[in-house]
Structures are given as structure tokens and as C-alpha cells.
Amino acid sequence: MAITDTLSHMELYDKIRLGDRIALSRAITLVESRQSDHVETANALLDTCMRNTPEQTSMRVAVSGAPGVGKSTFIESVSSHILEAGHRLAVLAVDPSSQLSGGSILGDKTRMHTLSAHPNAFVRPSPAGSHPGGVAERTREATLLCETAGFDVIIVETVGVGQSETQVRTMVDLLLLLISPGGGDEVQGIKRGILELADLVVVNKADGALASQARETMGQYTHALRVLFSQGQAPDVLSCSSLEGSGVSAAWQALSTLFENMSAHDLADIRSQQEQTWFKERLRQLVVERFITHHRFLSEYDKKLAQIAQRELSVRTALAEMTALTDALLSGRGEQI
Ligand SMILES: Nc1nc2c(ncn2[C@@H]2O[C@H](COP(=O)(O)OP(=O)(O)OP(=O)(O)O)[C@@H](O)[C@H]2O)c(=O)[nH]1
Ligand SMILES: [Mg+2]
């Protein structure tokens, strides 16, 4: 697909501003593209959005949890409450595992189709073909584009099994962790670290035969969180059935209250910190990549590794010599030493 056809970034921006969903989809595809002319337009578009989209008008929430816990079903179910309240809802996915299936959020599952057909909703599967870090970065940019299009609730669905959690935490205001009834943390593949990032914990599938187990799990998590957050306020633990809809409205209420309690000042502060952290981390990666792929640096690097392995050189000396080479490369004398 010709992503921009003849559209300039300003024309695309104007269409997005008016809530044109096709333009929004195209813009997200544009920022995912690595083609150089696309990158240029994407940069200009994101800058324009950044300057003109008012801050703090949206609520950004991550819905996280182990594979199969019911994240998509929960989002579909909670979306009816969000839309009824008059919000415009965008759902984005950060799902490293879906790189294989090409985006499981829509893939074989039909649930989100109902939601994506709603005039006030927008559903976007995770971008295919890039590494997880890249997916997170693109999702961050997609959030800004959705906000420009007037979506005021952004939900990011993410599998709670690893690095994507810490990344996703830095692009949202609140993180809701879904848990299945029964089983310990290890069984659900949920790491302690992820629990620490949660603002609200909800035990899903509290229905039928699983209802009593769900109550037990709630108790266990309430206790575990109290221990974990002994110094501060532990997140609430609720339960719901995304399939039957019970408890889902209460979960949305709890999220809304948490959001309302964040003052505008706090929110602006948090978001600004998040942007700066993103910049610092990415810059560090980019600078390292630049050096690591430089032929002079690379050959010296390999040589040093071999020398360290042979015990010919201490790590200290190797580091000093690499630092000297780095300085030389930076000052344009790299080929002479
Ligand atoms: N009984 C019951 N089943 C549920 C509930 N919510 C989801 N499920 C079922 O759990 C399975 C997984 O649901 P999904 O919504 O696809 O879960 P997910 O967490 O999005 O899965 P991934 O995106 O693959 O990680 C489906 O078969 C759902 O029907 C619930 O509240 N109760
Ligand atoms: Mg899902």
C-alpha cells in the first residue's frame, strides 16, 4: 500500500485531527516503516502532533497478564462501559509473541472485531516484523497519533511475561494486571517484578466452576501485595468475569478513580519523565549500535575479547584502550591509531 500517496505530513495531520480513521491507520503504518522517505514524513508528522496535541487529555492504560488470561476478552467487555461513558477508545497491542502469528490481537480471534467496528473505537494489532523493543517504541508513537485523532482512552494489551512489561509501564499512566484463578505466581508465569508495576490487580474468569477458586486467588494476591507494598499503598485486588461481564464495570470504576486521583501536575510530570527516559535509553542504544558496527571499533573489540580470553590483557587495560579508540573515532582520527 502506498502509505502516504501524495499526502504531505500536514495533510495527513489535518485528516487525523478530524478523526479520519483511514488516515490514522496509514499514519501508524507510516511510523512503523523504515523506508527513508517514510521516516522523514513520519518524523515531521510526529513533531506536529507533539506540538499541537494537548497533553493530559487522555487516559493511558496497559492491560497485562499471562497468555490466555483473558486480556482481549476483558478489553472487549470493558470497552462497552468506556464507550457508554462517551469516551473514544483506542486499543493497541504490544505482543512480542505475536511476531510469529503476525498480530494475535485480531489474528484468529474474532472478539475484537465487534469492538473495531464501533464508530468510537479503533483497534490496532502489534506491528509485525520488528523486535520487541521496536514494537514498544512504535506503540508509544501510535498512542500519540491516536490522541491526535481524539481518542481519549488508550488501552495497550501486552503479554505479561517479560521485558515488554517494564517497557509498557513507561508509556502508560496505569497498569492493570489480570490473573487467572488458582495456581501460584510461577504457574501463571507472572514474575514478582510485574506485580510491583501493577496499579490494579483483577482476577479474571471468576465464573462457573472457577468462581470459588477466584475468591481464594484474590485472598492470596491481596496478602502477597500487602507484603510486597509494606512501605506504601498496595494496589486493590478485584475479580471479574470478562465472559459474563460481572465485575468488569467495577474494574473500570477503580481505574477511573485511580486516574482521577492523579493530579494534572503529577500526570504531566510522569509523562515528561517517561519521554525523557525513553530518549535517554534509546540514545544509549543507538550510540552503542553506531560504535559496535564501526569496522575499526569492531575489529579492536574482537581483538580485545580474544586477548582477555588468552589472559594477555586485563579488562582494565582493554577498556582504557577501547576508550582511547572511541575518543579518536569521535575526533575523526580513528584510522590513524
Ligand atoms: N470462563 C471464562 N473464560 C474466559 C474469560 N475471559 C476469557 N476467557 C477465555 O480465555 C481464553 C483466552 O482469552 P483471551 O481474551 O484471548 O486471552 P488473552 O489474554 O488476550 O490471550 P493472548 O492475547 O493470547 O495472550 C478464551 O478462550 C476466552 O474465552 C472469563 O471471564 N471466564
Ligand atoms: Mg489477546
PDB file of all heavy atoms in Angstrom, residues 192-209:
ATOM      1  N   ARG A 192       7.417 -11.553  40.119  1.00  0.00           N
ATOM      2  CA  ARG A 192       7.237 -10.600  41.199  1.00  0.00           C
ATOM      3  C   ARG A 192       7.387  -9.175  40.682  1.00  0.00           C
ATOM      4  O   ARG A 192       6.641  -8.281  41.040  1.00  0.00           O
ATOM      5  CB  ARG A 192       8.309 -10.899  42.249  1.00  0.00           C
ATOM      6  CG  ARG A 192       8.042 -10.387  43.610  1.00  0.00           C
ATOM      7  CD  ARG A 192       9.253 -10.709  44.453  1.00  0.00           C
ATOM      8  NE  ARG A 192       9.896  -9.457  44.814  1.00  0.00           N
ATOM      9  CZ  ARG A 192       9.995  -9.024  46.068  1.00  0.00           C
ATOM     10  NH1 ARG A 192       9.542  -9.765  47.042  1.00  0.00           N
ATOM     11  NH2 ARG A 192      10.558  -7.888  46.340  1.00  0.00           N
ATOM     12  N   GLY A 193       8.355  -9.005  39.803  1.00  0.00           N
ATOM     13  CA  GLY A 193       8.641  -7.677  39.251  1.00  0.00           C
ATOM     14  C   GLY A 193       7.422  -7.063  38.574  1.00  0.00           C
ATOM     15  O   GLY A 193       7.215  -5.851  38.633  1.00  0.00           O
ATOM     16  N   ILE A 194       6.630  -7.902  37.945  1.00  0.00           N
ATOM     17  CA  ILE A 194       5.454  -7.386  37.230  1.00  0.00           C
ATOM     18  C   ILE A 194       4.378  -6.966  38.227  1.00  0.00           C
ATOM     19  O   ILE A 194       3.695  -5.962  38.037  1.00  0.00           O
ATOM     20  CB  ILE A 194       4.935  -8.429  36.217  1.00  0.00           C
ATOM     21  CG1 ILE A 194       6.006  -8.670  35.161  1.00  0.00           C
ATOM     22  CG2 ILE A 194       3.631  -7.979  35.574  1.00  0.00           C
ATOM     23  CD1 ILE A 194       5.748  -9.833  34.252  1.00  0.00           C
ATOM     24  N   LEU A 195       4.269  -7.742  39.304  1.00  0.00           N
ATOM     25  CA  LEU A 195       3.307  -7.383  40.362  1.00  0.00           C
ATOM     26  C   LEU A 195       3.612  -5.992  40.905  1.00  0.00           C
ATOM     27  O   LEU A 195       2.715  -5.217  41.194  1.00  0.00           O
ATOM     28  CB  LEU A 195       3.403  -8.388  41.516  1.00  0.00           C
ATOM     29  CG  LEU A 195       2.432  -9.560  41.544  1.00  0.00           C
ATOM     30  CD1 LEU A 195       2.632 -10.348  42.820  1.00  0.00           C
ATOM     31  CD2 LEU A 195       0.993  -9.111  41.406  1.00  0.00           C
ATOM     32  N   GLU A 196       4.897  -5.707  41.021  1.00  0.00           N
ATOM     33  CA  GLU A 196       5.313  -4.408  41.565  1.00  0.00           C
ATOM     34  C   GLU A 196       4.912  -3.243  40.675  1.00  0.00           C
ATOM     35  O   GLU A 196       4.823  -2.112  41.123  1.00  0.00           O
ATOM     36  CB  GLU A 196       6.835  -4.378  41.759  1.00  0.00           C
ATOM     37  CG  GLU A 196       7.260  -5.062  43.029  1.00  0.00           C
ATOM     38  CD  GLU A 196       8.763  -5.261  43.109  1.00  0.00           C
ATOM     39  OE1 GLU A 196       9.481  -4.914  42.155  1.00  0.00           O
ATOM     40  OE2 GLU A 196       9.207  -5.788  44.135  1.00  0.00           O
ATOM     41  N   LEU A 197       4.696  -3.551  39.393  1.00  0.00           N
ATOM     42  CA  LEU A 197       4.366  -2.473  38.449  1.00  0.00           C
ATOM     43  C   LEU A 197       2.869  -2.217  38.357  1.00  0.00           C
ATOM     44  O   LEU A 197       2.435  -1.244  37.749  1.00  0.00           O
ATOM     45  CB  LEU A 197       4.887  -2.827  37.049  1.00  0.00           C
ATOM     46  CG  LEU A 197       6.386  -3.054  36.894  1.00  0.00           C
ATOM     47  CD1 LEU A 197       6.707  -3.529  35.482  1.00  0.00           C
ATOM     48  CD2 LEU A 197       7.141  -1.772  37.189  1.00  0.00           C
ATOM     49  N   ALA A 198       2.071  -3.118  38.968  1.00  0.00           N
ATOM     50  CA  ALA A 198       0.620  -3.028  38.789  1.00  0.00           C
ATOM     51  C   ALA A 198      -0.015  -1.939  39.650  1.00  0.00           C
ATOM     52  O   ALA A 198       0.397  -1.702  40.784  1.00  0.00           O
ATOM     53  CB  ALA A 198      -0.011  -4.375  39.122  1.00  0.00           C
ATOM     54  N   ASP A 199      -1.015  -1.265  39.089  1.00  0.00           N
ATOM     55  CA  ASP A 199      -1.808  -0.293  39.856  1.00  0.00           C
ATOM     56  C   ASP A 199      -3.114  -0.918  40.312  1.00  0.00           C
ATOM     57  O   ASP A 199      -3.756  -0.439  41.241  1.00  0.00           O
ATOM     58  CB  ASP A 199      -2.112   0.934  39.000  1.00  0.00           C
ATOM     59  CG  ASP A 199      -0.840   1.640  38.594  1.00  0.00           C
ATOM     60  OD1 ASP A 199      -0.233   2.286  39.457  1.00  0.00           O
ATOM     61  OD2 ASP A 199      -0.438   1.513  37.425  1.00  0.00           O
ATOM     62  N   LEU A 200      -3.520  -1.973  39.606  1.00  0.00           N
ATOM     63  CA  LEU A 200      -4.746  -2.682  39.957  1.00  0.00           C
ATOM     64  C   LEU A 200      -4.580  -4.135  39.513  1.00  0.00           C
ATOM     65  O   LEU A 200      -4.054  -4.392  38.427  1.00  0.00           O
ATOM     66  CB  LEU A 200      -5.942  -2.043  39.223  1.00  0.00           C
ATOM     67  CG  LEU A 200      -7.315  -2.647  39.507  1.00  0.00           C
ATOM     68  CD1 LEU A 200      -7.735  -2.374  40.954  1.00  0.00           C
ATOM     69  CD2 LEU A 200      -8.372  -2.071  38.559  1.00  0.00           C
ATOM     70  N   VAL A 201      -4.995  -5.070  40.385  1.00  0.00           N
ATOM     71  CA  VAL A 201      -4.911  -6.493  40.039  1.00  0.00           C
ATOM     72  C   VAL A 201      -6.332  -7.033  39.973  1.00  0.00           C
ATOM     73  O   VAL A 201      -7.137  -6.793  40.874  1.00  0.00           O
ATOM     74  CB  VAL A 201      -4.071  -7.264  41.094  1.00  0.00           C
ATOM     75  CG1 VAL A 201      -4.082  -8.765  40.809  1.00  0.00           C
ATOM     76  CG2 VAL A 201      -2.636  -6.734  41.130  1.00  0.00           C
ATOM     77  N   VAL A 202      -6.656  -7.727  38.884  1.00  0.00           N
ATOM     78  CA  VAL A 202      -8.009  -8.260  38.737  1.00  0.00           C
ATOM     79  C   VAL A 202      -7.924  -9.746  38.419  1.00  0.00           C
ATOM     80  O   VAL A 202      -7.238 -10.152  37.480  1.00  0.00           O
ATOM     81  CB  VAL A 202      -8.791  -7.531  37.614  1.00  0.00           C
ATOM     82  CG1 VAL A 202     -10.184  -8.124  37.460  1.00  0.00           C
ATOM     83  CG2 VAL A 202      -8.889  -6.032  37.912  1.00  0.00           C
ATOM     84  N   VAL A 203      -8.612 -10.550  39.239  1.00  0.00           N
ATOM     85  CA  VAL A 203      -8.669 -11.983  38.971  1.00  0.00           C
ATOM     86  C   VAL A 203      -9.818 -12.206  37.987  1.00  0.00           C
ATOM     87  O   VAL A 203     -10.984 -11.976  38.301  1.00  0.00           O
ATOM     88  CB  VAL A 203      -8.906 -12.794  40.267  1.00  0.00           C
ATOM     89  CG1 VAL A 203      -8.911 -14.295  39.962  1.00  0.00           C
ATOM     90  CG2 VAL A 203      -7.832 -12.467  41.304  1.00  0.00           C
ATOM     91  N   ASN A 204      -9.464 -12.632  36.779  1.00  0.00           N
ATOM     92  CA  ASN A 204     -10.464 -12.830  35.725  1.00  0.00           C
ATOM     93  C   ASN A 204     -11.010 -14.265  35.786  1.00  0.00           C
ATOM     94  O   ASN A 204     -10.498 -15.100  36.526  1.00  0.00           O
ATOM     95  CB  ASN A 204      -9.802 -12.543  34.366  1.00  0.00           C
ATOM     96  CG  ASN A 204     -10.809 -12.533  33.235  1.00  0.00           C
ATOM     97  OD1 ASN A 204     -11.954 -12.087  33.404  1.00  0.00           O
ATOM     98  ND2 ASN A 204     -10.400 -13.018  32.063  1.00  0.00           N
ATOM     99  N   LYS A 205     -12.007 -14.535  35.034  1.00  0.00           N
ATOM    100  CA  LYS A 205     -12.631 -15.875  34.927  1.00  0.00           C
ATOM    101  C   LYS A 205     -13.296 -16.282  36.242  1.00  0.00           C
ATOM    102  O   LYS A 205     -13.339 -17.477  36.583  1.00  0.00           O
ATOM    103  CB  LYS A 205     -11.615 -16.939  34.491  1.00  0.00           C
ATOM    104  CG  LYS A 205     -10.870 -16.564  33.197  1.00  0.00           C
ATOM    105  CD  LYS A 205     -10.084 -17.710  32.610  1.00  0.00           C
ATOM    106  CE  LYS A 205      -9.294 -17.220  31.397  1.00  0.00           C
ATOM    107  NZ  LYS A 205      -8.542 -18.247  30.705  1.00  0.00           N
ATOM    108  N   ALA A 206     -13.753 -15.272  37.016  1.00  0.00           N
ATOM    109  CA  ALA A 206     -14.461 -15.588  38.264  1.00  0.00           C
ATOM    110  C   ALA A 206     -15.898 -15.966  37.902  1.00  0.00           C
ATOM    111  O   ALA A 206     -16.836 -15.219  38.140  1.00  0.00           O
ATOM    112  CB  ALA A 206     -14.420 -14.386  39.196  1.00  0.00           C
ATOM    113  N   ASP A 207     -16.050 -17.106  37.292  1.00  0.00           N
ATOM    114  CA  ASP A 207     -17.390 -17.574  36.910  1.00  0.00           C
ATOM    115  C   ASP A 207     -17.451 -19.101  36.971  1.00  0.00           C
ATOM    116  O   ASP A 207     -16.409 -19.767  37.038  1.00  0.00           O
ATOM    117  CB  ASP A 207     -17.746 -17.067  35.496  1.00  0.00           C
ATOM    118  CG  ASP A 207     -16.626 -17.343  34.483  1.00  0.00           C
ATOM    119  OD1 ASP A 207     -16.084 -18.456  34.460  1.00  0.00           O
ATOM    120  OD2 ASP A 207     -16.296 -16.413  33.715  1.00  0.00           O
ATOM    121  N   GLY A 208     -18.637 -19.636  36.966  1.00  0.00           N
ATOM    122  CA  GLY A 208     -18.846 -21.095  36.958  1.00  0.00           C
ATOM    123  C   GLY A 208     -18.018 -21.801  38.004  1.00  0.00           C
ATOM    124  O   GLY A 208     -17.911 -21.355  39.155  1.00  0.00           O
ATOM    125  N   ALA A 209     -17.387 -22.880  37.553  1.00  0.00           N
ATOM    126  CA  ALA A 209     -16.618 -23.718  38.472  1.00  0.00           C
ATOM    127  C   ALA A 209     -15.400 -22.984  39.033  1.00  0.00           C
ATOM    128  O   ALA A 209     -14.840 -23.380  40.054  1.00  0.00           O
ATOM    129  CB  ALA A 209     -16.169 -24.986  37.733  1.00  0.00           C
TER     130      ALA A 209
END
